[in-house]
Amino acid sequence: PFLTTNHAPPFLSVLVPVHNEAENIEPLIAEIYAALEGNIPYEVIYVDDGSTDNSWPILQELANRFKRLRIIRHRRSYGQSIAILTGVKAARAQWIVMLDGDGQNDPADILSLLAVLQAPARPPNLQMVAGYRQKRQDNWLKRLSSKMANGIRRRLLHDNTLDTGCSLKLFSRRAFLAIPQFNHNHRFLPALFLRNGGQIISVAVNHRPRLHGQSNYGLVDRLGTGIIDLLGVMWLQRRSSVAEVIEGHLKPEE
């Protein structure tokens, strides 16, 4: 179902879930390569979540040209959270950076997130570096709905994150696979990482206008399912318990 290589595991997996983003695929891949090539060992994973446009043929053609590109296709659209989970499971790196396939996230900001990860003074259990969009390039309705959603989430979940709706996030693969998996959980990743004892740092990132296509998620979709999911995450937080290990004697992995 996806293309592989026999090289040693990279340090970073760049994960891009897409649904009907044919016009944005090639320009974004070119930007990712321009930002990372020669800077860090990496791979790029595109998950086509049941697109009905030309996204998959374009990805197949690009995978033949760009050897770092690995591609996966869902039979139908399962939603963004499931596409992310598919990509994380396929990733060969222990650190994953995720960005939207619409081109509004700037791949050049990946290096800023990596700088936080590699800083000597980083928190001991840093599991996520989350981008926050200082100047959103969206219409007033999307900006308003995002501001309201971020405010409500911060107040109720105490997720210590300025912009949970920003898809540009760098996180630990192991930590991601340890959090509860459910549809729409991508909207609550900071709260779920914190629930499991992780630490999070937010970094200002660039945000750009969408040049092609249209958003696959509307205001009604965000509010309707978001309220139910928010209550579920609050329940998970109240039921969480993270043990503090003070000593152990474990054999090294062979």
Side-chain angles (χ1 to χ4, degrees):
F2 52 84
L3 305 179
T4 62
T5 65
N6 295 319
H7 300 298
F11 178 82
L12 181 70
S13 294
V14 182
L15 171 58
V16 187
V18 293
H19 178 73
N20 292 342
E21 296 285 2
E23 294 178 284
N24 294 311
I25 291 173
E26 185 167 4
L28 183 58
I29 289 176
E31 285 191 287
I32 292 170
Y33 273 67
L36 298 182
E37 198 67 27
N39 289 315
I40 193 169
Y42 72 99
E43 66 179 1
V44 181
I45 300 175
Y46 262 72
V47 179
D48 180 359
D49 186 37
S51 293
T52 56
D53 62 0
N54 290 325
S55 291
W56 184 247
I58 291 172
L59 284 170
Q60 288 178 303
E61 191 274 330
L62 291 172
N64 291 324
R65 291 165 44 196
F66 297 102
K67 299 306 179 184
R68 296 189 188 274
L69 176 61
R70 306 169 66 205
I71 57 176
I72 308 171
R73 185 186 189 188
H74 284 167
R75 183 178 298 277
R76 62 175 178 84
S77 178
Y78 293 92
Q80 190 172 355
S81 289
I82 305 303
I84 293 168
L85 179 60
T86 294
V88 171
K89 287 181 176 179
R92 297 187 301 136
Q94 288 305 307
W95 286 95
I96 295 171
V97 67
M98 178 179 67
L99 62 161
D100 274 337
D102 58 13
Q104 290 192 265
N105 297 138
D106 189 347
D109 285 321
I110 295 174
L111 296 178
S112 299
L113 273 60
L114 285 170
V116 175
L117 174 65
Q118 297 170 328
R122 78 177 195 182
N125 194 28
L126 181 65
Q127 294 183 1
M128 173 179 284
V129 183
Y132 72 90
R133 300 160 290 187
Q134 284 187 310
K135 296 181 180 180
R136 287 200 57 175
Q137 301 299 314
D138 287 318
N139 62 48
W140 69 269
L141 184 58
K142 290 188 70 174
R143 293 197 305 271
L144 177 61
S145 63
S146 178
K147 185 176 182 179
M148 291 173 57
N150 278 317
I152 293 171
R153 277 192 289 251
R154 280 200 305 272
R155 187 175 182 86
L156 296 180
L157 300 181
H158 309 287
D159 61 10
N160 192 33
T161 307
L162 297 172
D163 185 6
T164 54
C166 179
S167 294
L168 185 56
K169 293 181 174 72
L170 172 69
F171 55 84
S172 160
R173 179 179 185 271
R174 179 180 296 180
F176 179 92
L177 293 175
I179 65 174
Q181 299 297 329
F182 55 90
N183 204 7
H184 307 299
N185 78 339
H186 68 279
R187 298 172 180 166
F188 304 97
L189 289 180
L192 294 171
F193 275 72
L194 288 170
R195 173 185 178 270
N196 279 12
Q199 293 180 282
I200 298 169
I201 292 178
S202 292
V203 175
V205 296
N206 188 25
H207 191 244
R208 309 182 296 190
R210 174 187 268 273
L211 299 180
H212 307 287
Q214 59 184 8
S215 174
N216 294 299
Y217 306 98
L219 177 60
V220 174
D221 171 70
R222 288 189 182 93
L223 292 178
T225 59
I227 293 172
I228 297 172
D229 294 334
L230 178 63
L231 296 175
V233 174
M234 291 174 65
W235 182 88
L236 286 170
Q237 286 180 321
R238 292 192 179 97
R239 299 300 186 271
S240 66
S241 180
V242 180
E244 182 181 0
V245 177
I246 60 173
E247 187 175 1
H249 301 279
L250 304 175
K251 294 181 179 180
E253 295 182 3
E254 297 181 357

